[in-house]
């Protein structure tokens, strides 16, 4: 069926014109594929029971990220249907415009299945190597084709199996394909090594912060039935919280033994203001709307990231000046999974930004440095303080303003806070440089691959 939507017509024509430089034969993916399949739509959970399942957030550009793993219970027959094999290609079929169509080759030997937002493609290895196919599709030219073919539906970008079957790829001799495979494999390994070094730097921040606060953490108790039990009295039952995690061990895990005063957060903040909810009718699918920061915009390294954004119509905001995020505020993720609630970022951007109701904007008093507070929040999130402190409901966890005000934090003198914050920012800046260097080197390799394929 002929498509006439402007995005497709413009980009696909540009893609075809660029392919005229290619000396190798061109084939549609269906000519070299032996099998294409959607993943399982069964419910996955954090409980490590059943098989691990690959989801769209595990898929990176030519690589994988297994920091967040879920599991799924399936009958034996369905396990066989969705079990991944080495050499399978997985495509992300639904995501933001920038992320839809991302693909990588499965290379693990252990047993995994894959979720319904992914599409599996199996190639005939005698005709095309899977590493060659994914390498081409991750180049600038390959992404141009994906951007042309993908469709915007209800705020999300999609691509289906028939559109993937129709992808056009160069098909040079296997020797050239092996050269490309070796190039991309080496580039991925180099990027991974640099990113691991950068991640190790970031992982050192908590120890540095605890040391600066004079905190020596006690040895963690072994996980036993007894360690999960707690005792309380009737007065506490009728006037306080009785959830087990909150009561079974000190909430702060030893951080309360700091050299400095351990004080309620509310005393040292000017205001705590959650953002606002924005439904589909309030959203602007063009680039003209204002960005509403959501939990997904607080990245793994606790920088603000905008790979995937929701924009809102200016006239949908009742009091835009009041709702606008101010320079120097701390953005606290008040609602998320139990593991992620409390992740935070410091805001210092110039353009107008707003935030969703799952983010609380915090303005500190002069006695509390906002960057220092951001690092305390992220320390608490990683050390599972918020995991125990939050309230749970309907598969969500949250910390409201009342709980936030009562939260205790270490409070060194303001000059000490500034010193700690500045030294941590130096570590973070070094890590950012390493991540950027890894990405730049990887992008340079993709340009080299595109040039090799076309010539």
């Amino acid at each position: 069926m002929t498509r006439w939507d402007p995005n497709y017509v413009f980009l696909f024509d540009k893609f075809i014109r660029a392919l005229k430089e290619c000396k190798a034969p061109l084939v549609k993916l269906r000519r070299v594929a032996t099998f294409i399949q959607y993943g399982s739509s069964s419910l996955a959970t954090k409980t490590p029971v059943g098989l691990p399942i690959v989801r769209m957030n595990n898929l990176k550009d030519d690589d994988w990220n297994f920091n967040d793993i879920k599991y799924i219970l399936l009958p034996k027959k369905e396990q066989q249907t969705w079990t991944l094999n080495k050499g399978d290609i997985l495509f992300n079929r639904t995501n933001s415009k920038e992320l839809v169509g991302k693909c990588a080759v499965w290379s693990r030997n252990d047993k995994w299945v894959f979720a319904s937002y992914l599409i599996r493609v199996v190639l005939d290895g005698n005709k095309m190597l899977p590493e060659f196919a994914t390498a081409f599709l991750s180049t600038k030219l390959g992404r141009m084709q994906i951007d042309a073919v993908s469709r915007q539906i209800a705020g999300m970008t999609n691509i289906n199996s028939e559109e993937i079957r129709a992808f056009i790829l160069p098909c040079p001799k296997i020797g050239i394909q092996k050269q490309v495979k070796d190039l991309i494999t080496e580039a991925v390994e180099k990027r991974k090594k640099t990113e691991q070094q950068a991640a190790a730097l970031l992982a050192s921040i908590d120890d540095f912060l605890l040391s600066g606060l004079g905190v020596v953490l006690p040895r963690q108790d072994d996980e036993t039935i007894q360690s999960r039990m707690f005792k309380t009295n009737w007065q506490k039952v009728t006037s306080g919280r009785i959830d087990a995690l909150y009561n079974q061990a000190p909430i702060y895990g030893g951080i309360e033994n700091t050299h400095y005063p351990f004080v309620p957060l509310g005393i040292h903040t000017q205001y705590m203001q959650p953002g606002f909810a924005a439904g589909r009718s309030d959203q602007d699918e063009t680039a003209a709307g204002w960005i509403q920061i959501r939990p997904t915009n607080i990245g793994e390294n606790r920088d603000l990231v905008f790979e995937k954004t929701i924009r809102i119509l200016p006239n949908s905001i009742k009091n835009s000046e009041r709702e606008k995020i101010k320079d120097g505020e701390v953005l606290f993720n008040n609602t998320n999974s139990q593991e992620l609630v409390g992740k935070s970022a410091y805001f210092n951007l110039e353009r107008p930004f707003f935030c969703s109701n799952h983010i609380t904007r915090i303005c500190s008093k002069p006695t509390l440095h906002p960057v220092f507070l951001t690092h305390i929040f992220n320390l608490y999130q990683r050390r599972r303080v918020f995991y125990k402190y939050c309230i749970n409901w309907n598969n969500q966890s949250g910390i409201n303003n009342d709980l936030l005000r009562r939260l205790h934090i270490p409070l060194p003198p303001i000059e000490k806070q500034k010193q700690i914050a500045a030294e941590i920012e130096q570590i973070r800046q070094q890590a950012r440089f390493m991540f950027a260097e890894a990405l730049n080197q990887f992008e340079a390799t993709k340009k080299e691959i595109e040039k090799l394929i076309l010539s």
Side-chain angles (χ1 to χ4, degrees), residues 11-21 141 144 168:
L11 283 179
F12 199 75
D13 179 66
K14 187 177 178 182
F15 168 71
I16 293 298
R17 281 188 278 113
L19 269 187
K20 288 182 179 178
E21 298 179 30
L141 189 56
M144 190 187 301
I168 299 172

Side-chain angles (χ1 to χ4, degrees), residues 177-235:
Q177 294 188 35
K178 286 181 178 177
Q179 287 184 46
V180 170
K181 175 184 175 181
D182 292 343
L183 274 173
I184 197 68
T185 301
E186 183 182 0
V188 168
E189 288 304 313
K190 280 184 178 178
R191 183 185 67 180
K192 191 181 295 185
K193 183 177 180 180
T194 305
E195 288 178 344
Q196 286 171 347
Q197 292 169 344
L201 261 181
L202 292 175
S204 71
I205 287 175
D206 286 355
D207 288 339
F208 175 83
L209 179 53
L210 289 168
S211 175
L213 296 172
V215 174
V216 178
L217 296 177
R219 186 184 72 84
Q220 289 188 331
D221 293 334
D222 296 331
E223 182 71 14
T224 63
I225 294 296
Q226 286 74 21
S227 71
R228 298 181 192 177
M229 298 173 66
F230 70 94
K231 296 179 181 179
T232 187
N233 57 49
W234 180 251
Q235 183 180 5

